Amino acid sequence: MSDEKGLLHKAYTIQSTDQARDFYQDWAETYDDEITSHGYLTPHRCAEALAQFAPDKSAPLLDFGCGTGLSALALHAAGFTTIDGSDLSPEMLKRAAKRQGLYRNLIETDVNNPFDFPVGAYQAIAAIGVIASSHAPATTIDAALAALPADGLFVFSLNDHTLQDPEFEARVAENLDTGMARLLFKEHGDHLPGYDLGSVVYVMQKA
Ligand SMILES: C[S@@+](CC[C@H](N)C(=O)[O-])C[C@H]1O[C@@H](n2cnc3c(N)ncnc32)[C@H](O)[C@@H]1O
């Protein structure tokens, strides 16, 4: 079911990173209400999947494309305690900063160098609802794995719209085929049930 009164439907029409930045500036104020009204489940699914494999939930975790912090709320509920957030949109980051005590640090993403930290700074990276057409590109999968230490974990989602473009799953397949990473978890389920949209949640482990 689509609700043309909100902004969600426009998220699937963005054509560029600049448009995405402008779009999320506008959506920041109403994002939480609109997306939760559609039963947004992917953060919970990602957090539970990651928690199954994480040996130390107090180790630093990067919530990439953190938005207003709904993803970190789910990660925290699953037991993760040291969470940094990064995002393209300053306005979404301002909202995330209002959730006091949830994030250790919040960082504005440099889209040309989104994982600008030493390898191993994070034991795990989450990209929840962020890798998608005209959002973070498919190559984010390679870049996130490159930024992790050996055995580091990468949890991310690809929604049904995004999965129509074979480029995204091709990045998953290539990283598995070349031995760069192992696939620990892959499951299709509800993304926004009120919007009739699903997603696949993946947990990959750097080899
Ligand atoms: C659908 S929201 C998801 C936010 C949050 N992870 C959640 O689950 O609620 C997508 C977020 O990705 C951010 N984003 C889009 N493209 C990005 C990019 N290339 N790099 C970093 N963040 C990006 C947007 O600003 C937005 O906050």
Side-chain angles (χ1 to χ4, degrees):
M1 183 183 64
S2 120
D3 177 0
E4 302 299 315
K5 288 196 293 279
L7 291 178
L8 172 61
H9 65 286
K10 289 195 181 163
Y12 306 111
T13 64
I14 292 168
Q15 299 293 327
S16 68
T17 301
D18 285 342
Q19 274 188 20
R21 191 181 289 103
D22 290 347
F23 172 73
Y24 281 100
Q25 290 296 100
D26 293 343
W27 202 15
E29 192 180 339
T30 55
Y31 173 87
D32 285 8
D33 285 347
E34 185 175 0
I35 207 155
T36 53
S37 77
H38 292 293
Y40 187 35
L41 274 172
T42 293
H44 171 74
R45 292 174 49 224
C46 286
E48 290 295 316
L50 183 64
Q52 285 180 46
F53 302 104
D56 175 8
K57 296 198 191 80
S58 68
L61 185 167
L62 178 67
D63 179 15
F64 173 73
C66 64
T68 60
L70 292 180
S71 35
L73 280 178
L75 290 162
H76 191 262
F80 295 95
T81 54
T82 312
I83 308 173
D84 289 349
S86 67
D87 200 280
L88 175 76
S89 160
E91 200 58 39
M92 294 293 266
L93 286 168
K94 269 192 215 161
R95 300 263 154 192
K98 289 188 178 163
R99 299 187 197 275
Q100 293 194 352
L102 188 58
Y103 288 106
R104 182 180 66 169
N105 295 305
L106 286 165
I107 305 147
E108 188 173 331
T109 307
D110 173 355
V111 289
N112 297 313
N113 192 9
F115 301 107
D116 185 17
F117 47 78
V119 170
Y122 296 100
Q123 293 295 314
I125 298 175
I128 301 175
V130 57
I131 302 175
S133 312
S134 302
H135 285 59
T139 51
T140 305
I141 295 166
D142 311 70
L145 288 168
L148 285 169
D151 296 331
L153 298 171
F154 179 39
V155 63
F156 63 101
S157 62
L158 299 176
N159 72 31
D160 290 343
H161 282 296
T162 303
L163 287 163
Q164 285 172 16
D165 178 347
E167 189 189 354
F168 290 86
E169 284 221 291
R171 302 315 315 146
V172 176
E174 183 167 324
N175 279 291
L176 299 178
D177 291 348
T178 58
M180 177 65 77
R182 299 177 276 273
L183 183 63
L184 302 185
F185 183 93
K186 178 181 177 185
E187 188 176 87
H188 188 270
D190 283 333
H191 178 59
L192 290 166
Y195 205 71
D196 202 17
L197 195 64
S199 64
V200 174
V201 168
Y202 305 81
V203 180
M204 295 176 80
Q205 183 175 44
K206 174 114 170 239

